Amino acid sequence: MRKLSFLKSTFSFALLIFMSVLVSSCSSSSDDDNTSAGTAFNPSNFSLTITKKEVTATVGLMITYDLKNISKEAYNDYTQGSFSVKFTVKSTDGEIFQDIVSVDYIDAGITFSGLTFLDYSEVKTLDLTTLTAVIIKNK
């Protein structure tokens, strides 16, 4: 009878330990994707590089770019503010053309490679030396 009592108390103790570990692991507040809830981002949290620019006959100016999140937190436009990349180029006669691309999500330290087509009038000639790309914070 004494052995049964010992086994019963050992089983109860093991069950208590198991339940404690289970409860503590379920109530952990860590977030797997490291997204901060509400931390404001700034344009300085990103680096932007135009990697290729090419005038195409059918779709306009093709721009390939790399956008890197250089902060230590994942960026999500729903919790850290909304950002876009604004591309601007002038034609040889001074007319300005723009394209704006929204930024949705980039993990910390990750580079997003994007591609956009900036439309412009077929009768214009672009001055590619005037192409700029800036990160803007949307309101």
Side-chain angles (χ1 to χ4, degrees), residues 61 87-98 118 120 124-132:
L61 177 61
F87 298 95
T88 305
V89 68
K90 288 183 182 179
S91 64
T92 53
D93 66 357
E95 191 168 348
I96 299 173
F97 298 92
Q98 284 186 341
L118 192 148
Y120 65 95
K124 301 289 181 173
T125 302
L126 296 181
D127 179 0
L128 295 182
T129 63
T130 65
L131 177 63
T132 60

Side-chain angles (χ1 to χ4, degrees), residues 49-99:
T49 306
I50 295 176
T51 56
K52 186 177 181 181
K53 50 190 172 187
E54 179 182 345
V55 177
T56 63
T58 56
V59 290
L61 177 61
M62 181 178 69
I63 304 167
T64 306
Y65 61 96
D66 288 343
L67 181 66
K68 182 174 185 175
N69 177 351
I70 57 176
S71 76
K72 295 185 191 245
E73 296 190 36
Y75 165 73
N76 180 329
D77 66 342
Y78 294 110
T79 57
Q80 285 110 347
S82 178
F83 291 88
S84 297
V85 179
K86 180 170 67 170
F87 298 95
T88 305
V89 68
K90 288 183 182 179
S91 64
T92 53
D93 66 357
E95 191 168 348
I96 299 173
F97 298 92
Q98 284 186 341
D99 186 33

Side-chain angles (χ1 to χ4, degrees), residues 4-124:
L4 186 60
S5 175
F6 174 74
L7 287 175
K8 188 175 181 184
S9 64
T10 304
F11 179 75
S12 296
F13 181 73
L15 184 61
L16 179 68
I17 297 291
F18 175 75
M19 294 299 286
S20 297
V21 169
L22 184 65
V23 167
S24 68
S25 68
C26 289
S27 65
S28 174
S29 64
S30 68
D31 194 1
D32 291 339
D33 65 1
N34 197 25
T35 301
S36 173
T39 303
F41 261 55
N42 295 302
S44 61
N45 292 113
F46 302 99
S47 71
L48 177 64
T49 306
I50 295 176
T51 56
K52 186 177 181 181
K53 50 190 172 187
E54 179 182 345
V55 177
T56 63
T58 56
V59 290
L61 177 61
M62 181 178 69
I63 304 167
T64 306
Y65 61 96
D66 288 343
L67 181 66
K68 182 174 185 175
N69 177 351
I70 57 176
S71 76
K72 295 185 191 245
E73 296 190 36
Y75 165 73
N76 180 329
D77 66 342
Y78 294 110
T79 57
Q80 285 110 347
S82 178
F83 291 88
S84 297
V85 179
K86 180 170 67 170
F87 298 95
T88 305
V89 68
K90 288 183 182 179
S91 64
T92 53
D93 66 357
E95 191 168 348
I96 299 173
F97 298 92
Q98 284 186 341
D99 186 33
I100 297 176
V101 179
S102 64
V103 180
D104 298 324
Y105 181 86
I106 304 176
D107 279 327
I110 299 298
T111 300
F112 167 79
S113 292
L115 171 71
T116 189
F117 293 97
L118 192 148
D119 293 324
Y120 65 95
S121 175
E122 292 178 8
V123 297
K124 301 289 181 173

